[in-house]
Amino acid sequence: MINICNIERFATHDGPGIRTVVFFQGCPLRCPWCANPESQIIQAHLLYDHKKCVGCQVCEQHCPTKAIQFTDHRFTWDRSLCIHCKACEQACLHHAISFAGEQRSIDDIMEEIRKDKDYYRSSHGGVTISGGEAFMQFPQLMELLKKLKEEDLHVTIETCGQFPSEYLEQAYPYIDLFYFDIKHVDDDIYRSTVKGNRKQVQRNMEYLTRKDPDKIVFRVPVIPGFNYDDKTLNAIIDLAKQHHVKEVHFLPYHTLGKVKYEKMLQDYTWSPTMMKEEELEKYKPYALSQGITLKIGG
Amino acid sequence: MARINIDGEQNVEVSKPVPSEKTPQQQLAIMEAYTEAHKNSAHLDKAQREINCLKTIFPVLFRSIGEDDLIAGRLDFLPIGFGSVTSIGGVGHYCVFHKLRAFKEQLTTEEEKARVDALYDYWQEHDVKSIYCQDVLNDTTTGRFIDCNYPFMATARLSGMMLNYKKLMKYGINGLIELINRQGDNAFLTSSAEALALLKTVIDRQIELVEEKLTTAQGQRQKDLQLMKDDLAVIREDVPHTFHQALQLFWIYALCAGVINYGRMDDVLGPYLKDDIDAGRIDEEEAYRYLKSLWKMIENRRTTVNGRIIVGGKGREHAEAADLFARICLRVCKDTRYVEPQFTLRFSSDTPQDIMDMAYDCIGSGATYPTLYNDDVNIPAVEYAMRVDQKTAQQYVPFGCGEFVIQGQSVGTPNTMLNLLKIFDMTLHEGADSFDGIKKNGPVHVKPLSEFHTFDDLYEQYKKLLDYYFDISVQAQSYSYEVMNKEVSFLFTSILMDDCITRKKALLDGGVKILGGTNETYGNINTSDALYAIKTLVYEQKKYTLEQLVEAADHDFAGYEYIQKDLLDAPKYGNDHTACDELANDLYEFVAKGIRQRGIDAGMGYYLIVISNNQTNTDWGHKTAASLDGRKSGLYMNPANNPQGGAAKSGPTAVLNSLSRFDAKYHGGSVQNIKFTPRMFQKDREKIKYLFQTYFAKGGCQLMVTVVDHGILEDAQKHPENYPDLIVRVAGYSAVFVNLTKDIQEELMSRELYD
């Protein structure tokens, strides 16, 4: 069984052609701007929509572990008590409660994936594994990768690169394309902001570029207040060139994930202002001069 | 029962007709003259009576030439007159009673009003449709179109005639007269020849009307009018030699025939266009001007659901010239953004890529056109469905909301309509329609719920009731031809339909080569979703009894919200859910094959279901009780072959997979809508193309695409003044969104938008 957050069909921005994306649960990083915060922990997370809630408290009555309580008419959820029975979700007639994350068998996931095989074939598309960070569930990931290759499907993986290098060696033969996050070039800023170890990311990136630089694309979430400055972004382009990577994607900062924080009863701490794609056009000439194809928005 | 009064709406009318140029008094005089001719010809053959009547409305009903018209021919219609279809005027010798009543309000004197009353009384006995309705309608099973209280509606009309214009071009008017004269002189033939003489009178009148405009015209306008005048004179006596002459001849004939769908004009007009361009007589820009004028004149007829111009596809004699025509039409369509013509592209693996690209650009601009028809699927499907050879099947054309006919060779009017969901509701209530409590099961015994021990017990009972409705459908369809044939010959239509002239018989008198027909089915997906929910919740999971579910629906789910939630949460068609889609397909095949076989047994060329749609899914939904797919009472039903609004939650590939599951060879047209945001349609164009290509390769027969942004429809509802040209695809037709009623708007908004 794999803990997944979602399976998205007809995804058009996560690799070549028409794709199905399998979003794994669980991530080692804690980027404060994360657009999929519900996928950070491996277990399912309750999402509460206060706009739909009518305050009837039926969910509280149906919760067998008292994980849900209304205090001062305010909905609260205690994750440590929740057993994910989803009685609350079923009890709510107003669709105010849902859960992000479920366990699904690999066969079940494969069945879903197969449904669009004709579309992958005609468009040279395939399957993208995303998250979260799929390497967090490494044994399950391997099992899924093998199944995908048995069926000769093109596999792209979107990864932050934060996992042991031996995992990468094992998974490498089953993956056709890596969308590899390069969030920053500075170890300290990386550690203090996203709570990760950039050296490990660097090692994995170097492994991949040594093997075949054409199978890796750098993906850079451009985040104001973190990496949105000429020095950092040009340095990432330089890094690509240094490792013979030919394609880099700058993904402009957006706040589309903000509503999820509200539903998770958490505060969103990063900037409320979205970036426009055009803002990043200015990096294209430099990238071009370095022989790098820079795409804005992926 | 009491005498049937068919006063009321007879067709879907979103676009408002252009008012008549004539004063109310003039209109009254024309209607009286028509009525007199009808009375005085009562003892004559129907063909002679028809021509006598036609002479009272042609050419007098033609209006003056429009300010920028480049071809002549604008025609009014009145509440009384002669026609083929309900969209303009009515059927045969017709009276549209509610319009006649409205007309009466425009008159001032009591004397005039009394004259209208006299007309009303006369036509109650003589209106062709009333005669039909008198015999067919009843208090329980069968209502008139549009009366949504019944599970079955029947009407008399001659929709979707697409004539053999090649014959018109080949022979010209004089040539046709000669051809007819050579056949002999029965009443049909002599009246047909007279009709063509009348057409010449109509042309003479056009020349006068052009001359009126010429007196004040200058510069380019003068040249344009002079060309119109010269070419009218040519086509009066000769075959057309130029593109403009061919266009003019086609148009004036179509108006007199009262047809509102035109068909494969690329193969008819393309060769004239190409010759003109090759000879340097005109350039493409000049042709563009003519076609833009044609587009406007078709739009101005305001038929809402018709106006088909079809380009592309297999079986064209002049493919290269036709493609030249098609390219110019694509430009015109993109630039004009009219709701009509319903511009249609037939395509196959042979279609030039640039035409496909232009089509996608046109769709991407928000025009909703062209609608796309897949020849690789439709031709073999039509071959089987209509039992015709491949060459004949290649001439299939969709009309109206998507029913197929064979151009110039078949009648396929949808004179019967079934509400599958209402009939299912009756199955669950021992034959009573739970919306009004009236028993509508005819002679069929419907068991109580307690006797449905298995799912198959229930399903079989439903099929038995359907069988009964299929029987009365085919009878009503056949009878509509009988009645129309008794009253009229449809002369202008007959002349250009194979093989009326050689058989010396009017269209419905044994003249037409293929006498087919269609039955519009509604609520098909709501029903299969309801069946699937029952199958799983009652017979597999045993979570509820059937009685509990029906009780919940009978209360419109008030106090039974958890049951409704479970019904709504059950798998739905449109999500690529194998078992659910298989059940939908099983029901589809039962209905489609049942209707088709009855057509064969009745000796018809074909009788097929169409899963098309105007807005009857919404109108009929208003009169259909809550259903076990979780739908509330009175809510719209699913549009055409698409899922119920809000039910498709798995993305466009899933919905297209579900849609392509039905084998096209059992139906006579099925339409599917899909909506994208401009962002996705433009930015991901290549992927959208692959999406469509794959769907078509998997057996998708048709697709129509609306491109509209998030929030636009919602904003247009609040601020209609800001969206005068926001076009949306309703189902079998396009409309300006803000002209639709709120309930139709809501149904459109409920559909999934892909971004």
Side-chain angles (χ1 to χ4, degrees):
Chain A
M1 301 295 269
I2 307 185
N3 288 69
I4 62 162
C5 192
N6 186 21
I7 296 180
E8 184 189 350
R9 291 168 66 179
F10 193 64
T12 54
H13 295 119
D14 303 279
I18 294 171
R19 311 191 73 81
T20 294
V21 184
V22 182
F23 291 90
F24 276 53
Q25 288 277 108
C27 185
L29 303 182
R30 288 295 176 267
C31 306
W33 55 81
C34 179
N36 294 319
E38 76 283 12
S39 68
Q40 287 178 353
I41 54 166
I42 283 192
Q43 290 79 22
H45 201 294
L46 181 142
L47 302 177
Y48 166 75
D49 189 339
H50 71 91
K51 291 190 201 110
K52 289 182 178 168
C53 179
V54 296
C56 66
Q57 306 189 7
V58 167
C59 49
E60 186 185 59
Q61 291 157 25
H62 280 76
C63 180
T65 60
K66 298 200 183 319
I68 290 175
Q69 298 217 320
F70 276 81
T71 22
D72 299 333
H73 302 291
R74 251 189 65 236
F75 177 93
T76 62
W77 175 65
D78 186 338
R79 194 170 89 199
S80 63
L81 295 176
C82 181
I83 55 169
H84 305 107
C85 66
K86 300 191 178 175
C88 52
E89 183 181 5
Q90 281 157 24
C92 180
L93 288 172
H94 306 278
H95 305 101
I97 295 176
S98 58
F99 278 84
E102 58 181 335
Q103 288 208 324
R104 285 177 73 168
S105 72
I106 292 200
D107 286 346
D108 187 30
I109 294 169
M110 285 303 296
E111 195 185 322
E112 189 78 8
I113 285 170
R114 279 187 209 107
K115 287 179 173 174
D116 284 351
K117 253 185 156 175
D118 295 329
Y119 297 91
Y120 312 147
R121 203 174 299 123
S122 69
S123 68
H124 307 289
V127 175
T128 297
I129 296 172
S130 185
E133 170 53 58
F135 279 90
M136 289 282 282
Q137 299 181 65
F138 182 65
Q140 295 93 325
L141 171 65
M142 282 305 294
E143 205 182 328
L144 180 63
L145 286 173
K146 285 174 185 168
K147 293 255 183 194
L148 291 170
K149 270 303 131 195
E150 273 171 27
E151 305 205 10
D152 201 24
L153 292 165
H154 181 278
V155 175
T156 298
I157 193 159
E158 291 180 321
T159 175
C160 68
Q162 191 80 79
F163 50 81
S165 296
E166 55 269 29
Y167 287 1
L168 187 56
E169 288 167 29
Q170 289 177 53
Y172 185 81
Y174 302 98
I175 297 171
D176 300 287
L177 183 62
F178 289 83
Y179 275 4
F180 198 96
D181 274 13
I182 299 292
K183 297 182 203 288
H184 215 289
V185 287
D186 183 291
D187 292 357
D188 292 335
I189 295 175
Y190 188 84
R191 186 187 315 109
S192 63
T193 314
V194 305
K195 319 294 180 212
N197 173 5
R198 211 196 71 83
K199 287 198 165 58
Q200 192 180 42
V201 176
Q202 179 84 11
R203 269 199 301 281
N204 285 334
M205 182 271 285
E206 286 175 1
Y207 173 86
L208 290 173
T209 53
R210 270 199 310 277
K211 283 288 226 183
D212 183 353
D214 288 346
K215 281 174 66 170
I216 178 168
V217 171
F218 283 4
R219 286 202 134 189
V220 187
V222 178
I223 311 294
F226 171 63
N227 62 8
Y228 184 22
D229 57 81
D230 294 354
K231 190 173 153 234
T232 308
L233 294 178
N234 285 335
I236 291 173
I237 292 168
D238 292 340
L239 187 70
K241 185 180 183 197
Q242 186 192 339
H243 293 277
H244 310 290
V245 171
K246 296 188 184 66
E247 191 170 320
V248 175
H249 297 171
F250 281 1
L251 312 176
Y253 172 72
H254 66 78
T255 56
L256 300 175
K258 207 173 142 190
V259 65
K260 295 181 185 172
Y261 286 82
E262 282 172 26
K263 289 184 179 177
M264 291 169 68
L265 309 170
Q266 292 175 9
D267 293 329
Y268 185 72
T269 55
W270 212 257
S271 157
T273 316
M274 299 245 283
M275 278 173 67
K276 292 197 174 72
E277 286 194 3
E278 303 84 78
E279 286 183 55
L280 295 171
E281 290 290 328
K282 62 186 174 192
Y283 292 100
K284 278 190 171 172
Y286 180 67
L288 196 63
S289 74
Q290 300 304 302
I292 306 280
T293 303
L294 176 62
K295 287 189 184 167
I296 312 298
Chain B
M1 63 184 290
R3 181 167 182 83
I4 298 269
N5 183 336
I6 65 160
D7 195 333
E9 296 289 335
Q10 300 190 0
N11 61 297
V12 174
E13 194 171 285
V14 177
S15 308
K16 293 295 162 212
V18 180
S20 172
E21 257 183 5
K22 310 264 185 308
T23 64
Q25 285 70 26
Q26 287 171 322
Q27 294 177 45
L28 179 57
I30 295 168
M31 290 191 285
E32 284 180 331
Y34 188 93
T35 306
E36 273 308 295
H38 189 264
K39 264 187 213 169
N40 295 340
S41 307
H43 60 291
L44 298 177
D45 181 273
K46 63 184 176 183
Q48 289 164 329
R49 181 189 233 187
E50 183 173 322
I51 189 69
N52 289 348
C53 287
L54 286 174
K55 284 175 184 171
T56 69
I57 52 172
F58 296 153
V60 67
L61 277 185
F62 279 87
R63 55 195 292 147
S64 53
I65 307 291
E67 280 315 312
D68 47 8
D69 289 354
L70 298 179
I71 43 176
R74 284 176 175 265
L75 182 61
D76 285 340
F77 50 89
L78 302 178
I80 290 168
F82 187 88
S84 299
V85 290
T86 44
S87 303
I88 48 168
V91 181
H93 303 291
Y94 72 81
C95 176
V96 184
F97 295 99
H98 71 285
K99 290 195 173 168
L100 186 64
R101 277 192 292 110
F103 168 76
K104 187 176 156 187
E105 298 308 311
Q106 297 174 33
L107 299 168
T108 44
T109 72
E110 289 309 310
E111 184 264 340
E112 285 168 345
K113 288 184 180 180
R115 283 160 62 194
V116 174
D117 290 339
L119 292 176
Y120 191 105
D121 290 344
Y122 176 81
W123 285 104
Q124 279 221 60
E125 304 289 330
H126 296 93
D127 167 52
V128 170
K129 195 199 250 188
S130 294
I131 295 170
Y132 171 76
C133 289
Q134 191 59 41
D135 291 345
V136 171
L137 308 191
N138 61 45
D139 286 336
T140 56
T141 60
T142 313
R144 73 173 168 81
F145 182 66
I146 310 168
D147 182 346
C148 294
N149 290 302
Y150 297 82
F152 171 56
M153 295 195 275
T155 188
R157 59 181 171 182
L158 189 70
S159 292
M161 295 312 299
M162 293 206 234
L163 311 181
N164 182 353
Y165 294 106
K166 284 184 180 170
K167 190 172 170 186
L168 176 65
M169 299 299 152
K170 183 179 167 190
Y171 291 100
I173 300 173
N174 284 338
L176 285 174
I177 294 173
E178 275 175 40
L179 199 69
I180 289 166
N181 288 340
R182 276 206 301 274
Q183 292 297 315
D185 66 349
N186 71 18
F188 164 65
L189 291 169
T190 50
S191 303
S192 294
E194 266 194 80
L196 289 166
L198 181 60
L199 180 61
K200 287 190 174 190
T201 315
V202 167
I203 292 172
D204 290 338
R205 177 65 186 146
Q206 300 309 308
I207 292 173
E208 285 171 21
L209 291 167
V210 173
E211 280 170 345
E212 279 174 21
K213 294 283 171 187
L214 256 174
T215 54
T216 53
Q218 288 180 334
Q220 181 62 42
R221 186 61 187 150
Q222 190 180 26
K223 276 189 209 163
D224 288 340
L225 288 165
Q226 190 60 48
L227 177 75
M228 289 161 72
K229 187 182 159 188
D230 294 346
D231 283 352
L232 284 161
V234 171
I235 59 159
R236 190 186 191 282
E237 299 300 334
D238 201 356
V239 294
H241 301 289
T242 67
F243 178 56
H244 187 264
Q245 288 165 8
L247 197 56
Q248 178 67 74
L249 180 58
F250 143 68
W251 181 246
I252 205 75
Y253 195 99
L255 290 181
C256 288
V259 297
I260 49 176
N261 292 285
Y262 313 102
R264 307 188 82 177
M265 298 318 297
D266 58 343
D267 208 30
V268 178
L269 298 172
Y272 294 94
L273 170 68
K274 187 169 185 303
D275 283 354
D276 275 11
I277 288 178
D278 288 348
R281 281 190 289 272
I282 60 169
D283 58 15
E284 285 194 27
E285 290 317 301
E286 188 68 1
Y288 173 94
R289 288 178 66 226
Y290 300 162
L291 285 175
K292 203 167 174 183
S293 184
L294 175 70
W295 241 249
K296 185 173 181 185
M297 297 181 80
I298 291 176
E299 189 285 328
N300 282 184
R301 292 186 87 191
R302 309 270 163 92
T303 71
T304 299
V305 297
N306 293 284
R308 289 267 183 177
I309 295 259
I310 296 149
V311 298
K314 293 183 174 173
R316 293 175 300 168
E317 286 177 273
H318 313 284
E320 190 195 340
D323 283 343
L324 182 66
F325 178 88
R327 289 185 183 94
I328 299 174
C329 289
L330 279 159
R331 282 177 54 207
V332 170
C333 179
K334 190 176 169 200
D335 294 348
T336 51
R337 292 179 64 87
Y338 293 147
V339 294
E340 287 182 78
Q342 286 215 66
F343 185 50
T344 299
L345 176 67
R346 280 179 46 178
F347 69 92
S348 70
S349 41
D350 307 332
T351 302
Q353 191 54 49
D354 74 301
I355 289 191
M356 292 308 295
D357 288 340
M358 284 179 84
Y360 286 131
D361 282 343
C362 195
I363 292 168
S365 74
T368 72
Y369 295 123
T371 56
L372 304 170
Y373 283 78
N374 182 6
D375 271 9
D376 293 328
V377 167
N378 288 326
I379 291 169
V382 167
E383 224 178 306
Y384 177 87
M386 297 190 185
R387 300 177 297 143
V388 295
D389 60 24
Q390 190 191 53
K391 195 162 166 265
T392 307
Q394 283 178 340
Q395 301 310 323
Y396 86 90
V397 272
F399 70 86
C401 296
E403 305 88 338
F404 293 161
V405 282
I406 306 296
Q407 179 135 22
Q409 299 182 49
S410 91
V411 168
T413 180
N415 289 358
T416 43
M417 299 114 213
L418 283 171
N419 181 340
L420 303 182
L421 189 61
K422 219 181 220 315
I423 297 173
F424 185 56
D425 175 65
M426 286 148 51
T427 308
L428 297 172
H429 294 88
E430 296 180 48
D433 178 345
S434 68
F435 194 81
D436 54 18
I438 298 172
K439 283 220 166 206
K440 300 176 182 176
N441 49 320
V444 181
H445 172 67
V446 181
K447 295 177 197 164
L449 296 181
S450 58
E451 290 186 32
F452 300 138
H453 303 296
T454 65
F455 176 73
D456 286 342
D457 290 345
L458 169 67
Y459 199 21
E460 285 307 313
Q461 175 69 76
Y462 176 47
K463 286 177 174 174
K464 270 188 193 146
L465 196 50
L466 284 175
D467 274 331
Y468 169 68
Y469 272 92
F470 298 163
D471 290 340
I472 61 172
S473 292
V474 71
Q475 287 160 14
Q477 181 83 26
S478 296
Y479 191 65
S480 73
Y481 299 143
E482 227 174 277
V483 167
M484 288 191 285
N485 184 49
K486 204 165 146 243
E487 299 296 321
V488 290
S489 298
F490 294 113
L491 293 170
F492 277 108
T493 300
S494 296
I495 292 167
L496 290 190
M497 286 299 289
D498 303 346
D499 295 314
C500 297
I501 299 300
T502 45
R503 292 183 189 175
K504 307 176 194 181
K505 286 177 172 175
L507 190 79
L508 301 176
D509 212 9
V512 73
K513 204 167 177 179
I514 306 166
L515 182 62
T518 41
N519 183 322
E520 299 176 6
T521 59
Y522 292 90
N524 50 340
I525 298 303
N526 300 105
T527 309
S528 71
D529 281 347
L531 281 165
Y532 191 75
I534 293 170
K535 189 171 188 234
T536 50
L537 291 171
V538 174
Y539 294 102
E540 289 171 10
Q541 299 167 14
K542 302 192 192 303
K543 187 166 181 180
Y544 301 104
T545 63
L546 185 57
E547 285 82 351
Q548 283 174 310
L549 295 187
V550 172
E551 184 185 328
D554 287 347
H555 290 83
D556 203 14
F557 304 114
Y560 299 82
E561 285 80 8
Y562 284 104
I563 291 184
Q564 188 190 18
K565 189 169 189 274
D566 278 336
L567 291 170
L568 287 170
D569 287 346
K572 295 278 182 282
Y573 172 83
N575 295 286
D576 206 1
H577 184 284
T578 308
C580 184
D581 288 1
E582 272 171 7
L583 185 51
N585 186 57
D586 190 74
L587 177 62
Y588 156 69
E589 291 205 1
F590 178 79
V591 175
K593 288 175 181 172
I595 289 292
R596 182 174 177 273
Q597 190 57 45
R598 278 166 180 77
I600 296 169
D601 295 344
M604 292 173 70
Y606 61 83
Y607 182 45
L608 301 169
I609 66 156
V610 287
I611 318 176
S612 70
N613 206 19
N614 29 59
Q615 61 185 44
T616 307
N617 68 310
T618 299
D619 295 339
W620 226 339
H622 290 334
K623 300 277 188 176
T624 302
S627 43
L628 294 185
D629 55 341
R631 176 190 146 279
K632 298 266 282 179
S633 178
L635 189 70
Y636 43 75
M637 300 189 290
N638 73 286
N641 193 26
N642 276 62
Q644 180 77 351
K649 294 173 177 164
S650 312
T653 54
V655 82
L656 291 176
N657 282 352
S658 289
L659 292 178
S660 59
R661 191 176 279 270
F662 294 173
D663 192 334
K665 73 182 187 182
Y666 301 118
H667 63 65
S670 163
V671 298
Q672 7 273 328
N673 283 280
I674 197 160
K675 263 193 320 198
F676 291 99
T677 62
R679 191 210 61 75
M680 171 163 268
F681 200 83
Q682 306 299 7
K683 204 172 167 190
D684 292 329
R685 175 71 62 85
E686 283 306 307
K687 291 180 185 179
I688 295 266
K689 276 195 209 170
Y690 287 126
L691 177 75
F692 289 0
Q693 277 168 18
T694 312
Y695 158 69
F696 288 126
K698 285 167 80 87
C701 57
Q702 195 266 1
L703 202 57
M704 30 208 205
V705 188
T706 299
V707 175
V708 65
D709 219 339
H710 285 297
I712 292 291
L713 300 181
E714 291 75 4
D715 195 50
Q717 236 185 5
K718 285 183 204 135
H719 306 287
E721 66 282 5
N722 297 339
Y723 298 92
D725 71 343
L726 173 62
I727 303 175
V728 289
R729 193 77 188 154
V730 179
Y733 70 99
S734 299
V736 175
F737 181 76
V738 298
N739 290 348
L740 294 165
T741 52
K742 192 156 183 283
D743 54 345
I744 310 291
Q745 292 179 346
E746 299 285 341
E747 193 268 302
L748 285 170
M749 285 156 62
S750 78
R751 300 178 193 171
E752 198 62 36
L753 172 64
Y754 297 114
D755 184 13

